[in-house]
Amino acid sequence: MSRVVVNVMPKPEILDPQGKAVTGALQRLGFQGLSVRQGKRFEIEVDGEVTEEVLAQIERAADTLLANTVIESFDVVTD
Amino acid sequence: MPRIGVVTFPGSLDDHDALRAVQLSGAEAVPLWHGSDSIDGVDAIILPGGFSYGDYLRCGAIARFSPVMSTVIDAAGKGMPVLGICNGFQLLCEAHLLEGAMIRNAGQQFVCRDERLRVETIDTTWTCAFTKGDEITIVLKNGEGNYQASAETLRKLEDNDQVVFRYLDNPNGSANDIAGITNERGNVVGLMPHPEHNVESLTGPSTDGARFFASVLQFLSVRA
C-alpha cells in the first residue's frame, strides 16, 4: 500500500477568514510574527505502485472534487 | 398548472418551505429526490437551502455529483428556470452552472438577519416580475455566504448585467456586494438570502419573496 497526499490551499488572492482568525489567536497567545493560511490535506491510500497513471488519476480527482479551483489550488505529493 | 420541483438532498433544510412557497404562488409543488435522475417533467427547479451531505468537503461539493444534478444541469442547459437558494446557490457554483464560489463569511460568524437587497436586473426567469432598482427585504442565514470570483469574472458579470441582487449592507464580505447572480442566459439564478421564507406576513418582515415565484410563473405563462 502506498500513500499519495493532496494538499489544497485557498488561492493567495482569496481572503482566508479561517487563517486570519488563527493568525489573530496565535498573536493573542504570544506567538509573534506568524501569519497562517489554512488549507486541507487529503491522504490517499493507493493499492499497489504509485505509477504515473495513478498520479494522473489523483490529479484528475483533485481537480474534479477535492479542490474547487475557482478559489483553491492543490498539489499532489507522493508520501 | 405549472409544476415546480424542489430537490431534497440529505441535509436539505428548507425544501419544505420552498415547496410551500411554490404552492402559495399557485403552482404545483413537486418534491424531487437527489438519488433519482428524474425531474418528473417539471417546468422549473429549485435547489433549496440547508447543508447537503453535511456540507462535507465544501458546501455543495458532494451534492453536485448526485444523480439528480446531471439531469438538472442538462435541463438548465436547455433553458429551464433553476433557482438556487443559499446551499442551492453554492451547489450551482460547484456545478459550474454559475460562476464564482462562496467562502466563509469575512467576520467568521454565522449571520442570521433580515437583509436589504437591491434588484439589479429583471432580465432573468426569477426576477422578471420586479422593477429594476427595487429594494427588498429577504432573510439571510449562513456561515459561508462570502461570494468570491476572479477579477475577470467579476468584470464579466458586471458588464453582462449578471449581478441580480446586491446587498445594501454587505453582511459577509462578498465581492462587489453581490448577493445573487445569474448565468448568461438568465434562466439560472442563485442567491444566498432565502425568498421562500418571505412569502407570508405571519412569518416574515416582508412578502418580497413571493415575487420570485410570481416571476417564474409569469415567465412560464408567456413561454407557454
Side-chain angles (χ1 to χ4, degrees):
Chain A
M1 199 85 95
S2 338
R3 187 157 78 178
V4 176
V5 173
V6 176
N7 293 303
V8 177
M9 290 300 292
K11 285 184 175 172
E13 68 272 22
I14 299 279
L15 175 76
D16 171 22
Q18 295 182 101
K20 216 170 131 194
V22 174
T23 300
L26 285 175
Q27 269 164 18
R28 286 192 297 280
L29 289 168
F31 296 99
Q32 294 308 316
L34 305 180
S35 180
V36 178
R37 290 183 72 75
Q38 183 178 326
K40 296 182 188 125
R41 170 186 165 99
F42 298 86
E43 296 181 348
I44 302 171
E45 300 291 342
V46 178
D47 292 336
E49 294 273 301
V50 179
T51 59
E52 284 301 312
E53 209 168 72
V54 167
L55 283 176
Q57 184 185 319
I58 290 175
E59 188 93 16
R60 276 204 312 281
D63 191 52
T64 307
L65 179 66
L66 302 183
N68 178 347
T69 54
V70 175
I71 47 171
E72 296 168 325
S73 57
F74 66 88
D75 56 30
V76 178
V77 187
T78 311
D79 206 18
Chain B
M1 186 189 285
R3 302 173 75 242
I4 302 181
V6 177
V7 179
T8 297
F9 297 92
S12 290
L13 291 181
D14 300 314
D15 44 342
H16 285 270
D17 278 36
L19 285 164
R20 181 174 164 76
V22 167
Q23 235 165 32
L24 289 169
S25 74
E28 182 186 342
V30 182
L32 300 175
W33 182 241
H34 73 106
S36 162
D37 61 5
S38 163
I39 54 168
D40 202 7
V42 295
D43 302 298
I45 294 172
I46 296 173
L47 304 176
F51 300 86
S52 57
Y53 292 84
D55 273 354
Y56 294 159
L57 190 58
R58 293 179 307 278
C59 304
I62 297 177
R64 174 255 177 278
F65 291 102
S66 60
V68 77
M69 282 307 292
S70 51
T71 314
V72 170
I73 291 167
D74 192 44
K78 291 178 182 151
M80 181 176 289
V82 177
L83 177 66
I85 302 168
C86 195
N87 199 217
F89 182 18
Q90 295 162 335
L91 183 44
L92 289 174
C93 288
E94 284 285 344
H96 304 302
L97 287 174
L98 293 176
E99 292 172 90
M102 252 65 65
I103 65 169
R104 198 163 291 245
N105 292 343
Q108 281 281 92
Q109 301 281 326
F110 190 99
V111 176
C112 181
R113 70 185 200 197
D114 298 319
E115 201 61 56
R116 297 284 291 155
L117 308 176
R118 189 169 58 243
V119 180
E120 298 284 27
T121 177
I122 59 164
D123 197 13
T124 84
T125 55
W126 297 93
T127 56
C128 54
F130 285 98
T131 305
K132 187 176 159 70
D134 273 350
E135 293 186 359
I136 61 174
T137 302
I138 302 286
V139 68
L140 175 88
K141 45 167 193 169
N142 64 65
E144 298 191 37
N146 183 346
Y147 179 81
Q148 297 296 327
S150 68
E152 186 191 342
T153 301
L154 289 172
R155 202 173 320 119
K156 195 193 117 209
L157 291 174
E158 297 286 357
D159 290 350
N160 287 353
D161 210 16
Q162 286 174 251
V163 175
V164 185
F165 302 102
R166 235 184 276 272
Y167 298 113
L168 297 189
D169 179 15
N170 192 336
N172 51 27
S174 289
N176 294 18
D177 298 329
I178 287 171
I181 57 170
T182 187
N183 60 348
E184 280 179 27
R185 196 168 173 172
N187 64 307
V188 178
V189 171
L191 80 165
M192 288 313 291
H194 286 258
E196 80 283 15
H197 294 330
N198 287 99
V199 295
E200 287 175 290
S201 54
L202 180 66
T203 50
S206 84
T207 54
D208 292 333
R211 288 153 79 194
F212 287 69
F213 303 94
S215 293
V216 75
L217 292 185
Q218 183 179 311
F219 169 80
L220 291 172
S221 71
V222 169
R223 200 188 54 172

